[in-house]
Amino acid sequence: MCGIVGYIGKEKSLPFLINGLKALEYRGYDSAGIAIFSHDKVQVKRKAGQVKVLENALKNDTDLIGHLGIGHTRWATHGMPNETNAHPHNDCMGRIFVVHNGIIENYKELKEYLQHRGHIFHSDTDTEVVPHLIEDFLRSNGDFNVALFDALKMIRGAYAFAIIDVKNPDTLYAVSFSSPLVIGVGADENFLASDPSALVGKSKNVIYIKDGEIAEITRSKIDIINLEQKKTPPEIVRLEWNLEQAQKGNYPHFMLKEIFEGPKIVFSALQGRLKSGKNLVKLGGLEQVNEKLKEAKRLIILACGTSYHAGLVGEYLFEEIAKLPTEVHFASEFRYREEPFEEGTVVIAISQSGETADTLAAIRKTKKHGLLTLGIVNTVGSTIARETDAGVYNHAGPEIGVASTKAFISQLTMLVLMAVYMSESNGHQLHHALLQELEKIPEKIKAILDKASEIEMLSEKYKDCENFLFLGRRYNYPVAFEGALKLKEISYIHAEGYGAGEMKHGPIAMISEKFPTMAIVPQNSVSEKMFSNLEEIKARKGPIFAIATEGDKEIVSLANDIFFVPKTIESLEPLLTIVPLQLFAYYVGTKRGFDVDKPRNLAKSVTVE
Ligand code: AGP
């Protein structure tokens, strides 16, 4: 994934370009570059490495005073991460400068075609075909807009472009197709970015460029042109985030800050959504589809990564609370299935960024079959939020750490509310006790966070392990997967999540003194079975780190190390048991000396397939 920024306006463009790229670095950070229109020409500066390498290289550069600029931080998809392949890329004449986020699937044939027509290439990227293609059309038609449209018709793939044309220095061009771009509307200035986190503190009024649209942005005007080459009125969306939310505060890392936001996340997700009286849950975003929800016969949950693990918890919630048969699929696999959809199937897409390409593709597939699609999305105005028929926002604020933590907690909370909401839509029992317990979860998460130092101390003991098995059952089965993913992502330790019942069907062969198990074993309906699993591991000298319920005595004789969490209703346990696992991954990763906010090879929002 890559990050794009652009600026045109009353100020010099460089400060926003650099600060905007820093805010987007979690999307990709193997090289960075900028292009600024100054003194009647475009100055390009590119560097391998993180944005700060580029920033240091520009410290004493007095040329970069222009008010029109574009910038890019890269996560390589084609071509090594180096200065030559860093964006921006330009045409032969040095007139067209482009930064790109996405993948151009037919770039090889376009490159051969353009080389055949005399264009000279310098990089191994797919992006470089774009300025040359526009240049090629300009040869036959001097109008930039026409040449741009003609070039876009030849490009296949997912792309967001920011473009400078030397002959049109009062305009910043932006194009989006299956890759996000958002405009921050300012006073005598306008901003462009791949996502709103770069706009925080700059503008609260944003315009999402929709698929196939071109934006022509001057310092005082924004024209949106659609696929039919007609101007369409820009839709301004109010951005809820503030600068403080998008900054680390006094935490050493965004990841730790976002783990500690857990109590507030649950609390804010409940605000305005819990009522007394007949119906207990109000979800405004679903009211428009209420009648269709009453006819729901089956649910399909589509997501990736951490959001997929939240969906696995949702499967238990919807079946137990809303009595709806539910299946959960990796969106990246579902998109290839030929599933016969039955009447009354409702699709739920879960996505923090709202831009995950696999999830978007899977939703589009179900929409072709006429299914009702709902979204649980954190980023307001994002593509998935706009393309689903209805849905709810997490309102969890920007999640900057690449590893998803607070968004997962928020997704679980929304799934509980949605399950109760759909239970009521289907005339089932009310869930007073469940919702009353849900309102106590913020204080219970805080009680866990108050003991974070216990996890930090225990992480010292396990930080050099090379393998880890995570085991859970029922509601904690998805927590085992999510805990393993966190440890993998942040510490690069090989960690596997498994249903505890499956351990005897293979994984137990791995157990040894050097292969520890993280057992999620709160006191609940499956505790006895979990204890049997732990006996089997203990008999083979496997070290056990247990997440258990306060007051549980039996676990003491089974586990080498124990972290106690407060007692709660079984269906709400994941909201508590995941928190020590998030902390464990964070402390192990920091003790192993890794950048926990920007783990190697990862991107926050995977908007490529
Ligand atoms: C989570 O820690 C990962 N960064 C990743 O698995 C993420 O959950 C996945 O890419 C889905 O992202 P989304 O929620 O924005 O769709």
Side-chain angles (χ1 to χ4, degrees):
M1 212 27 302
C2 303
I4 287 177
V5 291
Y7 178 85
I8 186 162
K10 61 193 175 193
E11 305 295 344
K12 291 179 187 160
S13 58
L14 185 59
F16 172 72
L17 297 182
I18 294 296
N19 293 326
L21 289 180
K22 284 179 178 174
L24 296 178
E25 255 194 316
Y26 64 82
R27 300 171 62 88
Y29 31 84
D30 56 45
S31 54
I34 53 121
I36 293 180
F37 183 83
S38 296
H39 310 306
D40 297 330
K41 65 181 172 47
V42 173
Q43 314 256 357
V44 177
K45 305 286 181 188
R46 303 180 299 178
K47 283 289 177 195
Q50 296 195 356
V51 174
K52 58 174 173 285
V53 174
L54 176 69
E55 183 179 24
N56 292 338
L58 302 181
K59 260 199 180 18
N60 306 317
D61 192 316
T62 55
D63 278 352
L64 297 170
I65 57 171
H67 294 232
L68 166 63
I70 55 178
H72 186 269
T73 181
R74 184 169 181 249
W75 183 63
T77 55
H78 295 78
M80 292 293 289
N82 57 32
E83 191 164 316
T84 308
N85 291 327
H87 301 202
H89 292 288
N90 58 272
D91 64 328
C92 304
M93 303 301 287
R95 171 178 171 180
I96 312 287
F97 294 80
V98 177
V99 291
H100 165 223
N101 177 25
I103 287 184
I104 297 174
E105 291 173 357
N106 62 332
Y107 86 95
K108 283 201 177 90
E109 57 199 81
L110 290 174
K111 189 166 179 174
E112 282 162 24
Y113 164 77
L114 290 163
Q115 284 171 321
H116 179 69
R117 290 171 63 83
H119 292 266
I120 308 296
F121 285 79
H122 301 287
S123 81
D124 303 324
T125 67
D126 54 341
T127 306
E128 197 179 1
V129 301
V130 179
H132 289 287
L133 197 55
I134 298 170
E135 177 187 33
D136 202 63
F137 279 108
L138 279 171
R139 285 177 183 169
S140 50
N141 180 324
D143 182 306
F144 175 81
N145 295 57
V146 171
L148 176 57
F149 260 103
D150 289 343
L152 294 175
K153 285 177 199 152
M154 290 185 69
I155 293 172
R156 267 202 335 271
Y159 50 80
F161 301 135
I163 304 170
I164 291 178
D165 171 18
V166 167
K167 296 280 176 63
N168 290 279
D170 299 327
T171 305
L172 169 62
Y173 295 92
V175 185
S176 168
F177 188 80
S178 291
S179 184
L181 268 182
V182 58
I183 302 167
V185 183
D188 198 18
E189 63 182 356
N190 288 304
F191 308 86
L192 179 71
S194 299
D195 77 41
S197 56
L199 302 177
V200 173
K202 292 297 175 188
S203 170
K204 280 189 174 285
N205 296 318
V206 301
I207 298 167
Y208 278 84
I209 303 175
K210 297 189 182 67
D211 270 6
E213 291 182 340
I214 293 175
E216 294 179 7
I217 308 163
T218 68
R219 59 195 294 173
S220 56
K221 194 160 71 78
I222 297 166
D223 284 334
I224 304 287
I225 296 107
N226 64 20
L227 278 168
E228 291 74 46
Q229 300 193 30
K230 289 194 175 50
K231 281 187 185 173
T232 59
E235 280 173 50
I236 294 187
V237 178
R238 186 87 177 137
L239 198 62
E240 341 161 297
W241 298 345
N242 58 49
L243 205 49
E244 185 273 330
Q245 279 179 307
Q247 287 172 344
K248 272 190 277 197
N250 55 5
Y251 288 93
H253 298 102
F254 279 112
M255 183 179 176
L256 191 61
K257 175 185 178 235
E258 288 156 4
I259 293 171
F260 273 77
E261 284 181 43
K264 187 176 67 173
I265 293 304
V266 175
F267 179 78
S268 57
L270 299 180
Q271 294 321 292
R273 289 171 162 154
L274 291 184
K275 303 184 304 174
S276 54
K278 183 175 174 307
N279 284 342
L280 300 174
V281 171
K282 178 180 184 306
L283 292 177
L286 299 185
E287 278 161 16
Q288 58 189 329
V289 294
N290 249 352
E291 290 316 306
K292 287 191 178 175
L293 290 182
K294 287 186 176 123
E295 295 151 24
K297 296 282 180 297
R298 162 175 293 279
L299 298 177
I300 292 178
I301 299 176
L302 303 173
C304 300
T306 289
S307 299
Y308 168 79
H309 297 149
L312 289 175
V313 176
E315 183 171 19
Y316 287 95
L317 291 167
F318 284 116
E319 292 186 344
E320 178 177 330
I321 296 168
K323 311 299 178 204
L324 281 168
T326 304
E327 53 188 88
V328 190
H329 298 283
F330 282 120
S332 54
E333 275 303 311
F334 180 82
R335 55 188 301 185
Y336 303 115
R337 285 181 52 152
E338 289 312 320
E339 168 157 351
F341 298 113
E342 59 185 315
E343 199 69 26
T345 299
V346 175
V347 175
I348 299 174
I350 305 175
S351 177
Q352 188 288 128
S353 63
E355 302 297 348
T356 300
D358 288 321
T359 308
L360 190 54
I363 297 165
R364 286 173 175 168
K365 169 187 170 136
T366 60
K367 289 187 76 166
K368 282 199 190 107
H369 288 272
L371 301 188
L372 175 66
T373 57
L374 308 178
I376 300 178
V377 179
N378 189 38
T379 307
V380 173
S382 56
T383 308
I384 291 173
R386 285 183 282 116
E387 294 207 9
T388 42
D389 299 314
V392 291
Y393 281 125
N394 297 82
H395 298 303
E399 185 176 67
I400 309 299
V402 167
S404 189
T405 50
K406 67 173 186 175
F408 182 71
I409 296 283
S410 180
Q411 288 163 349
L412 295 181
T413 307
M414 295 314 300
L415 285 161
V416 174
L417 293 177
M418 203 181 257
V420 173
Y421 185 88
M422 294 179 85
S423 163
E424 293 167 357
S425 301
N426 284 279
H428 292 303
Q429 68 177 96
L430 296 181
H431 296 272
H432 288 290
L434 176 69
L435 295 174
Q436 282 163 0
E437 176 62 17
L438 184 56
E439 289 190 282
K440 294 178 188 157
I441 290 296
E443 70 196 50
K444 294 190 174 185
I445 294 177
K446 184 168 180 326
I448 293 169
L449 295 170
D450 289 346
K451 299 193 298 176
S453 57
E454 285 183 32
I455 294 285
E456 181 174 14
M457 186 191 62
L458 287 168
S459 66
E460 188 61 37
K461 178 175 175 183
Y462 291 93
K463 68 181 173 52
D464 297 320
C465 293
E466 291 178 9
N467 298 287
F468 239 105
L469 180 62
F470 283 66
L471 293 181
R473 279 180 188 264
R474 208 160 172 263
Y475 278 96
N476 289 293
Y477 161 71
V479 177
F481 283 83
E482 176 56 16
L485 176 63
K486 286 285 118 6
L487 191 63
K488 270 193 275 260
E489 285 188 289
I490 296 302
S491 70
Y492 316 149
I493 290 173
H494 165 243
E496 280 193 65
Y498 245 93
E502 272 300 295
M503 200 190 66
K504 54 189 173 294
H505 299 289
I508 195 166
M510 300 188 292
I511 297 302
S512 73
E513 288 170 292
K514 293 194 179 330
F515 205 123
T517 296
M518 180 71 80
I520 304 127
V521 56
Q523 271 174 335
N524 58 25
S525 62
V526 289
S527 304
E528 291 313 310
K529 292 199 171 43
M530 284 297 291
F531 289 149
S532 306
N533 294 133
L534 301 189
E535 292 285 1
E536 291 155 16
I537 293 171
K538 189 176 166 127
R540 290 158 179 82
K541 299 187 175 44
I544 296 170
F545 184 158
I547 307 297
T549 303
E550 285 164 355
D552 180 350
K553 300 279 186 288
E554 194 169 351
I555 191 66
V556 174
S557 62
L558 281 169
N560 302 72
D561 297 293
I562 307 169
F563 182 88
F564 290 103
V565 299
K567 176 77 181 151
T568 187
I569 293 175
E570 191 161 348
S571 55
L572 301 181
E573 280 173 355
L575 282 157
L576 301 184
T577 53
I578 190 57
V579 178
L581 304 187
Q582 293 174 339
L583 288 168
F584 183 70
Y586 169 78
Y587 288 121
V588 171
T590 45
K591 288 177 186 304
R592 287 165 70 101
F594 298 134
D595 183 344
V596 294
D597 282 336
K598 289 180 247 156
R600 70 183 181 198
N601 308 337
L602 291 185
K604 181 63 184 173
S605 171
V606 186
T607 61
V608 293
E609 294 178 14

